[in-house]
Amino acid sequence: MEVYMPQYNQYVQYALDRQPDNENLLQTTGFRFVLSKAPEVVYFCQNVQVPTISVGVTDVFSKHPTIHFADPKLTYEPLNITFLVNEDMGNWMEIYNWMRSFTIHDEKIQPRSWQELKTDPRKAGDPADYQVDGTLVILNSNSRPQASVTFKDIFPSTLGELELNATDGDATQVTCTATFQYRDYFVEIY
């Protein structure tokens, strides 16, 4: 029985055919985040991560090995953004005021009556008033847009602490992390 062995030239050609079109690596500093409700936060943005997306798994047990089925629903982790806080705290206040705009934050505010909500449902905190789309633009090695991740119906759910410390010897910048919830995200490669 004869075994077929490709020629050396065929191995080389096969390896050359598998080369990627673009060998440049994605840079961690190449991004811009666009969020209409918080332009100052966007300017001072230091860190953002494309959140984890996962598929749930349902296990079916039997006397044979366990069978795994994918759930039909995707699960998205929250979006976290770390930004430098500017001296007048304007960017921190953008998120703070945004969060207060759609929450009940004063005990003097009475819950709305059902009749009042029926006549003007926007008083209940219409999501259209506080949810916006946000876009993470990923740049290539030439600082040109390479891809975008659009987060649909984004809103802040957590505004992190501001750490001020009089015992720090050097003047360090204050950073803050904001956590955002969203409905979905879409990735587009240019």
Side-chain angles (χ1 to χ4, degrees), residues 6-190:
Q7 298 295 320
Y8 176 75
N9 296 2
Q10 291 173 316
Y11 282 120
V12 171
Q13 187 60 43
Y14 180 70
L16 290 175
D17 290 344
R18 294 182 52 210
Q19 292 295 321
D21 294 334
N22 184 350
E23 295 179 2
N24 296 330
L25 300 176
L26 192 62
Q27 304 293 319
T28 59
T29 57
F31 71 92
R32 298 289 177 265
F33 191 72
V34 181
L35 189 59
S36 62
K37 283 207 177 265
E40 285 191 50
V41 169
V42 170
Y43 181 79
F44 290 99
C45 185
Q46 297 294 297
N47 183 310
V48 63
Q49 298 170 353
V50 176
T52 300
I53 181 173
S54 60
V55 174
V57 176
T58 301
D59 295 333
V60 177
F61 299 102
S62 68
K63 62 182 178 181
H64 302 290
T66 302
I67 301 170
H68 307 285
F69 290 102
D71 288 340
K73 183 179 174 187
L74 292 173
T75 303
Y76 298 96
E77 294 295 319
L79 172 67
N80 294 310
I81 296 175
T82 302
F83 59 95
L84 292 171
V85 178
N86 56 352
E87 188 175 55
D88 65 0
M89 294 177 54
N91 53 4
W92 188 85
M93 289 298 294
E94 284 178 337
I95 303 296
Y96 174 78
N97 288 331
W98 185 3
M99 291 176 77
R100 289 181 62 91
S101 73
F102 63 86
T103 57
I104 297 174
H105 45 78
D106 188 346
E107 292 180 8
K108 295 178 184 175
I109 296 175
Q110 298 299 318
R112 309 270 186 220
S113 69
W114 175 247
Q115 287 294 17
E116 190 178 2
L117 290 176
K118 277 178 42 180
T119 58
D120 189 4
R122 291 179 58 88
K123 290 183 179 178
D126 186 359
D129 290 340
Y130 62 86
Q131 292 179 344
V132 297
D133 291 348
T135 303
L136 172 63
V137 179
I138 300 171
L139 308 176
N140 65 15
S141 56
N142 295 323
S143 296
R144 303 267 189 248
Q146 176 66 35
S148 65
V149 182
T150 302
F151 297 90
K152 304 301 283 182
D153 299 336
I154 194 170
F155 65 93
S157 59
T158 305
L159 180 59
E161 68 277 351
L162 297 177
E163 183 179 345
L164 307 171
N165 188 346
T167 62
D168 280 347
D170 297 330
T172 58
Q173 293 84 19
V174 175
T175 61
C176 182
T177 299
T179 301
F180 294 87
Q181 302 296 327
Y182 51 92
R183 179 173 48 87
D184 200 353
Y185 74 74
F186 303 95
V187 179
E188 181 182 1
I189 306 295
Y190 303 130

